[in-house]
Amino acid sequence: AQSVTQPDIHITVSEGASLELRCNYSYGATPYLFWYVQSPGQGLQLLLKYFSGDTLVQGIKGFEAEFKRSQSSFNLRKPSVHWSDAAEYFCAVGAGASYGKLTFGQGTILTVHP
Amino acid sequence: DTGVSQDPRHKITKRGQNVTFRCDPISEHNRLYWYRQTLGQGPEFLTYFQNEAQLEKSRLLSDRFSAERPKGSFSTLEIQRTEQGDSAMYLCASSLGHRDTMNTEAFFGQGTRLTVV
């Protein structure tokens, strides 16, 4: 069975600083990988996805992620964080024919200091 | 159609009562998913439908839980004899998927927050 590990439960950065959120997955085949963001009391919004092809994927709001098969990682990055990026971020892996049946990590809460 | 819609947004119920939640997916999406999210955790898969057929159920879905999607459009999730451990956010998502053609990612609703007192 697949699994996802987000090693950092809580990260604090200053506005304008760069950001990297870590994600490691375990899956026997080529994974479908996703990053979602969740604001308090809200649903999940997709930031970006990796299905195949170029291992560096661009998403919304200036986020990008790099798939590294050798490290089983899919880390999320942003060069300059804005206060509005404060939220909880979830990495997820999809399996099989359905891209909606996902296994999520525990999440990383991002706090942004002014 | 602006997205996945869930109703109600919040539900407080007494232990032992039955509750039902509704999810309206994006209209052209044939797949619908239910997830449960407890505080401080990521969402956990419960079940999913392709059109009206329930194709998979997680072991998390006890006998007290039942989900339906009678006409392949909206779905309901019912919890019978609620327990305090059922308190969570219940998320619905939908996607478009066919065996040999393009699949889309899942789009999530805003969730129903259940509190069992």
Side-chain angles (χ1 to χ4, degrees):
Chain A
Q2 61 267 27
S3 65
V4 176
T5 301
Q6 293 180 247
D8 305 305
I9 295 174
H10 195 170
I11 283 183
T12 300
V13 299
S14 298
E15 191 169 18
S18 64
L19 172 70
E20 183 170 28
L21 303 182
R22 295 182 292 165
C23 172
N24 293 97
Y25 68 90
S26 172
Y27 184 60
T30 300
Y32 307 126
L33 295 162
F34 307 83
W35 276 99
Y36 284 86
V37 62
Q38 186 178 37
S39 297
Q42 301 297 311
L44 301 168
Q45 181 184 22
L46 181 70
L47 286 176
L48 48 76
K49 63 196 179 200
Y50 171 79
F51 288 166
S52 64
D54 193 347
T55 56
L56 184 64
V57 293
Q58 302 297 321
I60 62 171
K61 304 183 180 184
F63 285 92
E64 66 178 26
E66 186 172 10
F67 170 57
K68 292 185 177 180
R69 184 186 300 274
S70 62
Q71 298 177 19
S72 298
S73 69
F74 189 57
N75 293 350
L76 182 71
R77 301 193 294 248
K78 186 170 185 178
S80 178
V81 170
H82 189 263
W83 64 266
S84 61
D85 293 324
E88 189 161 17
Y89 292 79
F90 292 95
C91 181
V93 61
S98 171
Y99 295 176
K101 182 183 174 226
L102 303 171
T103 299
F104 285 86
Q106 190 174 6
T108 297
I109 297 171
L110 175 65
T111 298
V112 181
H113 281 322
Chain B
D1 191 316
T2 57
V4 179
S5 177
Q6 292 189 243
D7 183 70
R9 293 290 311 278
H10 303 274
K11 178 72 177 178
I12 299 175
T13 191
K14 292 183 178 179
R15 188 175 54 187
Q17 297 294 304
N18 299 344
V19 294
T20 300
F21 311 140
R22 177 181 170 120
C23 171
D24 287 90
I26 293 172
S27 58
E28 63 269 27
H29 284 182
N30 60 334
R31 290 179 176 168
L32 186 148
Y33 312 83
W34 285 99
Y35 286 82
R36 181 174 69 187
Q37 185 180 22
T38 53
L39 205 59
Q41 301 296 317
E44 296 172 293
F45 170 78
L46 292 178
T47 187
Y48 100 91
F49 293 83
Q50 178 156 307
N51 301 312
E52 66 277 6
Q54 189 173 17
L55 295 189
E56 191 168 342
K57 294 197 293 185
S58 161
R59 286 174 294 175
L60 293 175
L61 213 65
S62 76
D63 292 344
R64 296 184 298 106
F65 288 69
S66 63
E68 292 182 345
R69 194 182 184 199
K71 297 183 179 179
S73 56
F74 74 91
S75 175
T76 57
L77 178 68
E78 181 183 18
I79 309 174
Q80 297 182 325
R81 305 181 302 281
T82 53
E83 301 173 355
Q84 287 190 320
D86 297 331
S87 295
M89 173 84 90
Y90 290 85
L91 293 162
C92 177
S94 70
S95 73
L96 180 65
H98 297 281
R99 182 185 297 275
D100 297 319
T101 60
M102 187 62 185
N103 289 267
T104 71
E105 65 273 16
F107 293 81
F108 282 80
Q110 292 191 303
T112 295
R113 169 75 65 188
L114 173 67
T115 302
V116 182
V117 296

